[in-house]
Amino acid sequence: MGLTSRHCRRVWHTGKCQLAGRPAVCADAARRRVCADPSRPLVCMDPSRGRLSYTCGTPDPGCDSDGPRSPAEGGWATELVRTFCTIMVALTLSICPLHAQSTTGDPCGVRGSLDAAAGWLHAGDARKALELLESVEQAEPDNPWLWFYRGSAHLRLNDAYEAMAAFDRASEVLIGLGGPDPDLAERIARQRRIARRRVFGLRFQTGFAYDSNVSYLGSDASTLDLIAGEEDGRFVTSLQADFAPVDDGVNLLAVGLRTSHSWHFRIDSFDFQDYGAYVRYARHVGDSLELGVRYDYDVALLGNDRFLSRHALTPSIRFDWRASPSRFHPSDTTVYYRFEARDFLFETEPAFDRDGLVHAVGVEQGFRLRPIADWPWWWTVAVGYRYDREHTDGTEFDRRGHAVHVDLSMPLVNPAAPTRYLVFPDKELVLRIHAGWQGDKYANASLIDVRGRERRDRTTTVGAVLSQTLIDHPDSGTLVLHLIGNWTDAESNVRASSNISPFTYDKFVFAIQIEWSW
């Protein structure tokens, strides 16, 4: 029979241990690993410790009087443990084939399957992990680690509903055992939250901003060209809700609603409201390829007047790269096409009519970077390119555009204790840096330019966001403080009368915002 034992506040993988050809019961006695026969060694394996054998009656070297030491606290030891676990998975699979995993006193049964499943999850192969867990369920269906690993595997395979069901089962089993492992219980709750957010999520953000040159740029950077030329402060809010009625690992159907508002202190003609919704369908082909299509609709108000209505259809292809031990490797690649129909809801002269269509194609490439080998942190890097072609009912705003961006996200950790964050050691602190460049060439001679030249624009944007997590709870949600700074520099060759350059400007935006997500 397989018994669940508690050791150093950790629920151990359950199963039988072999002792001189006879089954031996793993137990806990004053935080000491003991077995039925104290004269012989007990052969067991815990992948989180990276140790194979304990002598009966000898204290576990991974524990002290205050509880377990996490492998992450060892810095360089983390990589050693991971390497050891990878080797042990290979050894386990070589000596413990699936057909040999039975419920007899074979140490290559439940424990070996769990160890190997954990290794395959770490290596990024969730399907092999699920295959190994089938034998564990037959032998020990009430093993909390079985259901935790199963939920993690389904989550890797984008099957959020099955993942939540597995995590719920893991919690039920753990509670039924008397809740002996708070660490495992928290891990279950946090993983379940990730799965639940794939099904249903809420995000609310609010704060204040100072703008040195109030303008309405919308989501298309420099293409809407409504510039006040005055500084002002504003109060901003945004709310988004997402729901996925289908997310089964092969098909994803998601819908969402969003709204954002911006109220200026003085220049109320630039008060902004946006109300939007989306529908997205995606199909997973294998474990790495995703084919998707998304429809968005937005209506925007400027100064409480209807300003812009937009429909957009975006098919895309995404490829997720396998995890690599390399310190710098690609994470995902996305190629997309966007078709957008714009309807500006105000009267204007025919030549300045901006109603029309926008076609865009783009590519996004993500990378993961580990700058210091001994530290367990990864930086994420994203680079992208987009080409736009805008056709309008008038003549002034037909254009072609090229845009490039680079984004970097890095955790800020304590150099003296690399497993801890700065400010609040156990609360995530992240710095995100953005840089973007856009060039636009307009098709026709500008009616605004005194010399009648074709318009040429160049826009540079640089920004940074410092995000400090204040509260992070699986049930009540996450509260994050954002400090935001952005600089935009736009240059245009257009010169109006009196040598005015209406499309040349620069601006600084500084903001402080609070974000709650659930």
Side-chain angles (χ1 to χ4, degrees), residues 172-189:
E172 293 172 2
V173 171
L174 200 57
I175 293 172
L177 295 172
D181 192 339
D183 177 65
L184 176 58
E186 183 176 358
R187 290 171 66 183
I188 293 170

Side-chain angles (χ1 to χ4, degrees), residues 141-452:
D142 291 331
N143 188 317
W145 285 99
L146 155 68
W147 296 103
F148 173 73
Y149 286 146
R150 174 167 286 179
S152 299
H154 283 298
L155 189 57
R156 291 278 186 92
L157 295 172
N158 301 302
D159 193 344
Y161 283 95
E162 287 292 336
M164 286 194 297
F167 291 134
D168 289 341
R169 178 59 178 157
S171 295
E172 293 172 2
V173 171
L174 200 57
I175 293 172
L177 295 172
D181 192 339
D183 177 65
L184 176 58
E186 183 176 358
R187 290 171 66 183
I188 293 170
R190 292 189 179 278
Q191 287 291 93
R192 189 192 187 280
R193 177 180 63 178
I194 296 174
R196 190 264 303 155
R197 281 179 170 173
R198 285 183 57 93
V199 174
F200 180 73
L202 290 173
R203 185 182 66 84
F204 175 74
Q205 194 163 335
T206 186
F208 295 92
Y210 164 78
D211 192 336
S212 67
N213 189 348
V214 175
S215 54
Y216 176 78
L217 302 178
S219 61
D220 294 298
S222 62
T223 61
L224 294 180
D225 305 319
L226 297 176
I227 306 162
E230 299 181 42
E231 63 181 7
D232 198 3
R234 65 178 185 263
F235 175 68
V236 296
T237 65
S238 65
L239 175 66
Q240 178 155 336
D242 304 282
F243 174 60
V246 178
D247 190 1
D248 59 11
V250 177
N251 300 288
L252 168 68
L253 178 63
V255 297
L257 299 172
R258 58 180 175 268
T259 180
S260 59
H261 300 77
S262 175
W263 294 279
H264 288 79
F265 297 163
R266 294 186 300 106
I267 311 175
D268 56 8
S269 60
F270 277 74
D271 288 350
F272 167 75
Q273 303 172 56
D274 179 85
Y275 302 91
Y278 76 88
V279 178
R280 179 173 183 264
Y281 172 77
R283 182 173 180 84
H284 299 281
V285 181
D287 296 336
S288 301
L289 190 63
E290 179 190 88
L291 308 177
V293 60
R294 171 169 170 150
Y295 167 75
D296 288 85
Y297 173 73
D298 285 271
V299 59
L301 283 71
L302 195 64
N304 294 321
D305 296 323
R306 286 167 56 86
F307 176 69
L308 174 64
S309 173
R310 297 192 293 188
H311 301 263
L313 190 66
T314 309
S316 63
I317 301 174
R318 174 188 170 106
F319 181 81
D320 293 317
W321 298 80
R322 277 191 175 274
S324 168
S326 171
R327 289 172 54 188
F328 181 74
H329 59 266
S331 57
D332 57 88
T333 303
T334 302
V335 179
Y336 65 89
Y337 163 74
R338 180 180 174 93
F339 171 79
E340 182 175 329
R342 295 177 176 177
D343 181 15
F344 286 82
L345 307 173
F346 57 88
E347 297 295 329
T348 187
E349 296 180 17
F352 293 92
D353 189 346
R354 303 190 62 173
D355 296 349
L357 305 177
V358 180
H359 301 270
V361 292
V363 59
E364 300 282 338
Q365 177 63 59
F367 298 93
R368 297 189 72 200
L369 169 66
R370 179 178 245 169
I372 302 178
D374 292 341
W375 290 13
W377 306 104
W378 289 89
W379 293 5
T380 60
V381 182
V383 296
Y385 166 78
R386 188 186 73 246
Y387 169 78
D388 297 304
R389 181 69 173 95
E390 182 172 1
H391 304 268
T392 68
D393 292 345
T395 60
E396 184 69 22
F397 296 104
D398 291 353
R399 67 177 183 89
R400 292 182 176 91
H402 302 268
V404 178
H405 74 86
V406 179
D407 296 279
L408 172 66
S409 176
M410 65 182 80
L412 299 182
V413 299
N414 186 346
T419 61
R420 303 288 185 176
Y421 292 100
L422 290 172
V423 187
F424 302 111
D426 61 338
K427 297 292 190 299
E428 185 179 55
L429 177 63
V430 178
L431 175 64
R432 298 176 178 87
I433 300 173
H434 167 81
W437 300 268
Q438 180 165 328
D440 294 294
K441 179 181 179 180
Y442 288 76
N444 303 307
S446 174
L447 300 177
I448 301 173
D449 186 68
V450 293
R451 298 167 58 182

